[in-house]
Amino acid sequence: MMNLFRSKAAFEEARNYMPGGVNSPVRSYPHMDCPPPFIASAKGSHITDIDGNTYIDYVGSWGPMILGHAHPRVISAIQKAAENSTSYGAPTVIETELAKLVTAFYPSIEKIRLVSSGTEATMSALRAARGYTGRDKILKFAGCYHGHGDSLLVKAGSGAATFGSPDSAGVTKGTAKDTVVVPYNDIDAFVKKMDDEGEEIAAVIVEPVAGNMGCVLPVDGFLETLRRETEKHGTVLIFDEVMCGFRTELHGAQGKYGIIPDMTCLGKIIGGGLPAAAYGGKRDIMNCIAPDGSVYQAGTLSGNPLAVTAGLETLQMIRTIPDFYKILEEKTKRLLGGWLDAAAEAGVAVQVHQSGSMFCLFFNDKPVLNYEDSCACDGKKFKTWFLSMLEQGIYLAPSPFETLFMSYAHSEDDLDRTISAARIAMKEAAEAK
Ligand SMILES: *Cc1c(COP(=O)(O)O)cnc(C)c1O
C-alpha cells in the first residue's frame, strides 16, 4: 500500500475542525476507505501530496486547470497583478476586457455579470429569469448539478409527478415545490411537462453536456427540443456551462451543438484556477439586473483583479495555441481507447464517454443516458479501480458520478503510464465482488 501516513494524520486533525475534514464534501473520499491525499503542490499534469507521492492528475481541480497546474504565464500574470493589491471593490478595465473576450466566444451572451463561484452564477441567473418573467417555478433535470443553491438541490422524488422533494436537509418544502424535475434526455417527459406547466415556469436550466452524473451527452434532438419548447412557452432557457464551457470546445456546448440559449452560466476555466464565474445572456434579461433593473445581485469580491487576470491569461492562451482543442480531444481519445482495451482484456463491461477533454468511465454494461443509468453502475468495481489507480500514481475523482479532465500539459508518457496502470486496475476490478 502506498504511504499516506502524513495525509492520514492531517485528515484526522482536520476532522476536528471542519465537517468531514474538508471544505467541499467529495474531497473527503466518501466510501473509498482511504484518506484523501493532502496536497502540497502541483505542476503541469502532476500533483504531489504531503507524503511525497506524485500522481498524474485527471481531476484538474474539478475542471479549471485546462492548461495544467501552475502554468508559468498564468502564475506570472497573477504575481504582477497582486503587486497592485489583491482587491479594490471598484471597477477595473480588465473586467471589461474579460467581458469582451467571453461575449466574443459566446455570442448568445450580450451582457455578462462576473461573480465568484458557479453556485452564485446559477442562483443569480435563476433570480434574473424569475424577475424577467414574473414566474416562480423552474425546471431542472435529474442528475444535473448546478451548485448548492436551495432551489437547485432537488431531484425527482419517487413518483414526484409535479413537485420535487429536497435532496438536502435545510431546503424548505416551499422552495422545493417550485422546482420541477424531469429525467435527463427524456424528450417526451419534458414536452409533456412543458405542455402542462410551461406557462408557470420561469426557466429551464440544464447542463447541455452533463458532467455531474459522470459525463453524459445529450441525445439527438434533446437540446433542440428544450430550445423549441421554452420559446413556445416564454420560458428562459439557461445553459449551465460552468463545466462544459471552454471545455467541450472554445464556444462550449452551445457552439458544439449550435443551440442559442437565453442565458449562460460559466465558471471553472473562466477563473483560470482562481474564484471567478459569470452569468449572462440576452440584453433584455440582463437589463433586469441591479443597478439597471430591479433584480438585486452583488459581490464584494466579484470581478476580483487576481481572478480576472488568471481567467484572461488562460483564455488568451487557449485561444492562441494552434489546434488547442483538437490536441486535447485526441489525447483524451487515445487514453480512453487504452482503457477500453484494458477493460476488454480483463473481461469487464464498461462504457466510456467523452466530450472534448471531459471524459468518464462507467462500470456499466448498458448505455448511460441519464441519472438512473448512472446509478446502476457497479460501485464495487469502481472502488477497486479507483484505489488501484491511486496506488499506481493515477489521481482520479473518488466517485463514479464525477467527470475527469485532460489538460494541455498531459504528455504522451503520462498517457502511456495511465494506460499501463489501467491494465492492472481493470484486472483487479474484474475480481471485485
Ligand atoms: C461545478 C459546477 C457548478 C458549481 O460551481 P461552484 O464554483 O463549485 O459553485 C455549477 N454547475 C455545474 C455544471 C458545475 O459543474
Side-chain angles (χ1 to χ4, degrees):
M1 188 66 196
M2 100 205 90
N3 176 9
L4 284 174
F5 184 76
R6 290 201 171 113
S7 281
K8 189 163 180 281
F11 191 41
E12 273 160 22
E13 188 180 19
R15 291 169 74 98
N16 292 325
Y17 298 99
M18 292 174 278
V22 292
N23 287 307
S24 199
V26 74
R27 295 180 197 171
S28 71
Y29 279 31
H31 321 302
M32 286 301 126
D33 298 341
C34 165
F38 273 52
I39 303 305
S41 67
K43 178 79 188 157
S45 58
H46 292 188
I47 188 162
T48 302
D49 69 21
I50 58 174
D51 286 288
N53 303 301
T54 292
Y55 311 86
I56 302 171
D57 177 19
Y58 293 98
V59 178
S61 189
W62 309 95
M65 312 314 287
I66 194 165
L67 293 172
H69 291 278
H71 192 286
R73 270 187 55 180
V74 177
I75 297 300
S76 128
I78 295 170
Q79 282 169 339
K80 242 169 84 191
E83 280 168 19
N84 294 330
S85 181
T86 52
S87 183
Y88 317 114
T92 58
V93 292
I94 53 174
E95 289 161 85
T96 312
E97 222 181 294
L98 184 60
K100 270 186 180 164
L101 199 59
V102 173
T103 54
F105 295 152
Y106 290 81
S108 71
I109 304 180
E110 293 172 339
K111 275 193 179 178
I112 192 167
R113 168 66 60 85
L114 299 181
V115 292
S116 301
S117 71
T119 294
E120 255 187 286
T122 55
M123 272 168 45
S124 310
L126 285 184
R127 187 180 305 139
R130 283 172 162 148
Y132 176 72
T133 58
R135 302 175 182 177
D136 289 344
K137 288 187 186 177
I138 57 147
L139 186 149
K140 76 177 286 287
F141 295 90
C144 282
Y145 177 66
H146 302 292
H148 60 84
D150 279 358
S151 48
L152 291 163
L153 281 181
V154 179
K155 67 174 183 194
S158 57
T162 312
F163 300 129
S165 56
D167 225 9
S168 159
V171 174
T172 65
K173 288 196 194 76
T175 301
K177 87 170 174 38
D178 284 331
T179 302
V180 176
V181 184
V182 171
Y184 195 75
N185 274 333
D186 191 336
I187 293 174
D188 293 342
F190 174 72
V191 171
K192 178 160 189 320
K193 193 60 88 177
M194 290 301 282
D195 281 345
D196 292 348
E197 295 181 56
E199 312 308 308
E200 299 165 55
I201 296 177
V204 168
I205 186 165
V206 67
E207 287 182 77
V209 170
N212 290 286
M213 47 177 147
C215 179
V216 175
L217 309 187
V219 296
D220 280 351
F222 179 58
L223 298 176
E224 289 80 356
T225 304
L226 302 194
R227 181 62 287 182
R228 189 191 64 231
E229 292 295 311
T230 47
E231 219 152 57
K232 189 164 116 193
H233 294 281
T235 298
V236 175
L237 178 60
I238 305 173
F239 272 13
D240 178 357
E241 298 221 34
V242 169
M243 186 187 291
C244 59
F246 307 109
R247 182 52 86 170
T248 57
E249 60 161 88
L250 183 59
H251 310 284
Q254 54 195 269
K256 187 174 189 121
Y257 292 97
I259 308 286
I260 302 170
D262 302 308
M263 297 188 82
T264 300
C265 301
L266 295 167
K268 299 192 168 116
I269 290 172
I270 201 180
L274 266 69
Y279 68 100
K282 285 196 171 139
R283 196 173 298 275
D284 283 2
I285 303 174
M286 292 307 287
N287 285 343
C288 297
I289 308 291
D292 287 347
S294 54
V295 174
Y296 193 72
Q297 188 272 311
T300 302
L301 292 174
S302 292
N304 173 267
L306 299 196
V308 169
T309 298
L312 260 178
E313 195 66 26
T314 300
L315 295 185
Q316 270 155 357
M317 282 190 63
I318 64 185
R319 178 177 67 150
T320 48
I321 296 172
D323 293 328
F324 182 82
Y325 285 93
K326 201 166 142 236
I327 291 168
L328 277 178
E329 186 159 343
E330 277 166 11
K331 281 199 268 196
T332 308
K333 209 173 270 170
R334 180 154 106 69
L335 180 75
L336 289 180
W339 283 9
L340 273 177
D341 291 345
E345 231 174 81
V348 178
V350 299
Q351 310 286 323
V352 297
H353 290 180
Q354 170 183 7
S355 182
S357 54
M358 281 169 73
F359 63 101
C360 85
L361 173 86
F362 292 104
F363 286 95
N364 209 314
D365 55 4
K366 293 196 200 80
V368 178
L369 297 176
N370 57 37
Y371 185 52
E372 206 180 299
D373 297 341
S374 173
C375 289
C377 122
D378 186 328
K380 291 213 175 81
K381 283 197 171 56
F382 176 84
K383 183 167 149 184
T384 305
W385 152 263
F386 167 78
L387 289 172
S388 173
M389 291 297 268
L390 188 71
E391 185 141 355
Q392 298 181 75
I394 313 296
Y395 190 79
L396 306 176
S399 154
F401 298 110
E402 301 290 351
T403 290
L404 301 170
F405 303 97
M406 187 69 70
S407 85
Y408 193 70
H410 283 84
S411 65
E412 291 300 307
D413 181 55
D414 287 334
L415 302 186
D416 288 339
R417 280 176 51 201
T418 309
I419 292 169
S420 302
R423 285 220 180 83
I424 295 170
M426 277 297 173
K427 289 207 180 95
E428 292 179 21
E431 317 269 285
K433 301 235 165 45

